[in-house]
Amino acid sequence: MQKSVTKPTERMWHGVRTGMMAAAVTAVGLVVVPKLLAQTGMSFPGAFFSAGFIALAGTFLMGWLRLPFLLSIPVSCSSSLVFLSAISQGLSWQQLLGIGAAASFAGVILFQGAAGRCMTSWIPQPIRQVMPGALGLMLILLGLYMGRILVRSPWSLTMLGNFQDPLAWFSAAGIFVTLALMAVGRSSAIMYGMVLTAAVSLAEGFWAVPAAPFLLPEGLDHTAFQLCLTAETPREAVEMLSAGVTLLMVLSCVNWSWLQAIQPEEREGRRVLPWIFGLGIPGALLGSLPVAVAPPTALLLTEREQCRTAAFSTAFFLMLALFCEPLLAAMAEFPAMVVPVLVGGGLMMIRTMNRAALSAFAEWPDVSASVAVLILMPLSWSISAGLGIGMILWCVMKICAGRLRDVPRGTMALSFLFAVYFLYVSV
């Protein structure tokens, strides 16, 4: 009798611990994304609260649906929108929220029926299979640049940073510890790497605990109901449309890849995806970009029997993180502890590519498109560049091989839209 009581209790507490680790990893991203948005003039406290609130609400919803999914704002999508659409093309943060709301609404409509499955099939299967790897490489490169392990070079694409720089040294040490823990099979490797790096850098005085480490959530009055769906010029309209379509396709690929990872029934996929996209609408009204299934989901996948407990505990600890904004912001000032999270999260996304991804390199059109996505997306730091060029290249090579009938009309239409977009931007 004692044994039958103890085992469920042990499994429950293991689920709670897993949720705590997943929340600790996600909490760092709750600082990274608002810091990116702050570069566009958005209020950091408001962006932090809206991102955290939507993440915990979405994770709680996934737990209610008995799915081991952790939702948060993707760093890769956010950085692409901020650097490519806002800083480079001049869009405001209000327009970025409008793009997120429009893409979320389109996702809800599409995935309510067969249209969503058709849209996903428009993206060639080899590209869909390598998309998690490309996004993972983007996260890894972001971490390496953030930790100054890689720096810009005047004569090559990049070069190693100066390891006399404390940030580069602590970042590299944190990555080494995280990879070593992964090698021995520790499911909490990312959290331990982050905590250890934060503790050592704190002891060495490279960042300090603020006098008031906890604060009531604030700033929502600066971000709520500020989204903008209109453009002032035709060029802005084209950029908003391109960014919205790209965001919709990328979120669809990421979420669908995670659904395939747990191999749900088709009806369950249609039931979940509209909910995930639907969260982006209230999120945009509060001041948040759309959420997606996050890399720390790999931690929750180990708790399939206790997925509801793990998801609920993750949402609970994310709620506590909302009151730690000064502490998390201080930690982000010396982002050495963020680097292991980004690199570890990127490796987790790459790991989601199963053996079926090898079929992406079966034929020359598939090889060319897959390599283009894997190389161009991380190096150009543009999801639209990698995805668009990969689709165009796949269509062109299929036509050159005399296999026009193998190219779906939707794929041809999307490739044509990407080509028009590239030509418009280059003019």
Side-chain angles (χ1 to χ4, degrees):
M1 177 66 72
Q2 183 66 26
K3 185 176 181 180
S4 62
V5 173
T6 303
K7 281 189 175 181
T9 304
E10 290 179 353
R11 289 196 297 267
M12 181 189 69
W13 283 112
H14 195 274
V16 171
R17 189 186 67 176
T18 302
M20 181 178 64
M21 291 187 298
V25 174
T26 307
V28 180
L30 295 182
V31 177
V32 174
V33 173
K35 276 189 170 293
L36 290 172
L37 291 172
Q39 299 184 41
T40 66
M42 191 174 184
S43 169
F44 175 82
F48 176 82
F49 176 74
S50 59
F53 180 80
I54 292 299
L56 73 89
T59 303
F60 183 88
L61 176 62
M62 292 298 102
W64 184 263
L65 297 175
R66 294 188 180 277
L67 286 174
F69 287 164
L70 192 158
L71 302 185
S72 68
I73 303 175
V75 177
S76 55
C77 295
S78 303
S79 57
S80 178
L81 285 174
V82 169
F83 292 119
L84 273 299
S85 298
I87 296 179
S88 298
Q89 301 297 328
L91 298 184
S92 65
W93 62 267
Q94 292 92 340
Q95 289 173 318
L96 295 186
L97 297 180
I99 292 171
S104 300
F105 180 77
V108 173
I109 299 300
L110 286 172
F111 286 100
Q112 283 291 345
R117 298 195 303 276
C118 291
M119 193 210 71
T120 305
S121 65
W122 292 345
I123 303 174
Q125 184 177 3
I127 296 179
R128 292 201 308 269
Q129 290 172 340
V130 301
M131 274 291 291
L135 293 172
L137 288 175
M138 289 184 70
L139 288 181
I140 292 173
L141 287 180
L142 175 62
L144 295 179
Y145 276 108
M146 185 176 292
R148 293 204 283 267
I149 297 175
L150 293 180
V151 295
R152 298 186 182 277
S153 172
W155 56 82
S156 62
L157 289 176
T158 185
M159 66 180 184
L160 284 176
N162 183 4
F163 281 88
Q164 293 181 350
D165 183 352
L167 179 57
W169 193 92
F170 277 101
S171 299
I175 293 175
F176 178 80
V177 171
T178 302
L179 294 181
L181 292 174
M182 284 182 171
V184 299
R186 300 289 298 190
S187 60
S188 54
I190 294 179
M191 188 192 74
Y192 288 149
M194 177 189 68
V195 172
L196 182 60
T197 307
V200 175
S201 58
L202 173 64
E204 293 295 328
F206 290 102
W207 67 279
V209 177
F214 308 107
L215 186 69
L216 290 175
E218 60 179 2
L220 199 60
D221 54 327
H222 297 291
T223 59
F225 304 103
Q226 298 292 320
L227 63 87
C228 177
L229 294 169
T230 59
E232 296 182 358
T233 63
R235 189 179 185 89
E236 283 190 356
V238 172
E239 177 60 30
M240 291 180 67
L241 178 61
S242 171
V245 172
T246 303
L247 181 62
L248 174 61
M249 290 190 294
V250 170
L251 293 178
S252 300
C253 287
V254 171
N255 294 328
W256 193 265
S257 298
W258 282 107
L259 283 173
Q260 297 305 305
I262 66 172
Q263 298 179 350
E265 295 181 0
E266 185 180 4
R267 59 179 178 82
E268 190 172 4
R270 294 202 305 267
R271 178 171 64 96
V272 173
L273 287 176
W275 280 107
I276 297 177
F277 277 100
L279 288 168
I281 299 175
L285 293 175
L286 292 177
S288 169
L289 294 176
V291 294
V293 182
T297 294
L299 297 175
L300 301 186
L301 287 177
T302 62
E303 298 294 329
R304 293 300 303 277
E305 295 182 357
Q306 297 291 327
C307 63
R308 175 171 286 188
T309 301
F312 285 171
S313 61
T314 302
F316 173 76
F317 288 111
L318 287 177
M319 181 183 65
L320 296 181
L322 294 180
F323 298 89
C324 304
E325 182 258 319
L327 178 62
L328 295 175
M331 295 173 64
E333 292 297 328
F334 187 78
M337 67 286 296
V338 180
V339 175
V341 177
L342 294 173
V343 174
L347 291 174
M348 284 185 176
M349 292 200 70
I350 294 175
R351 192 180 181 186
T352 61
M353 295 193 305
N354 53 29
R355 294 180 179 179
L358 295 177
S359 63
F361 304 97
E363 300 180 355
W364 282 115
D366 301 339
V367 172
S368 303
S370 302
V371 172
V373 172
L374 287 171
I375 293 179
L376 294 179
M377 190 180 294
L379 293 183
S380 66
W381 201 247
S382 172
I383 296 175
S384 59
L387 183 61
I389 294 177
M391 292 185 63
I392 294 172
L393 189 59
W394 188 83
C395 291
V396 171
M397 294 196 68
K398 283 287 188 180
I399 294 174
C400 292
R403 300 172 59 181
L404 177 61
R405 294 182 178 180
D406 295 342
V407 181
R409 295 181 180 179
T411 304
M412 188 71 71
L414 287 177
S415 301
F416 177 77
L417 291 177
F418 272 117
V420 172
Y421 167 70
F422 292 142
L423 290 174
Y424 182 84
V425 171
S426 62
V427 174

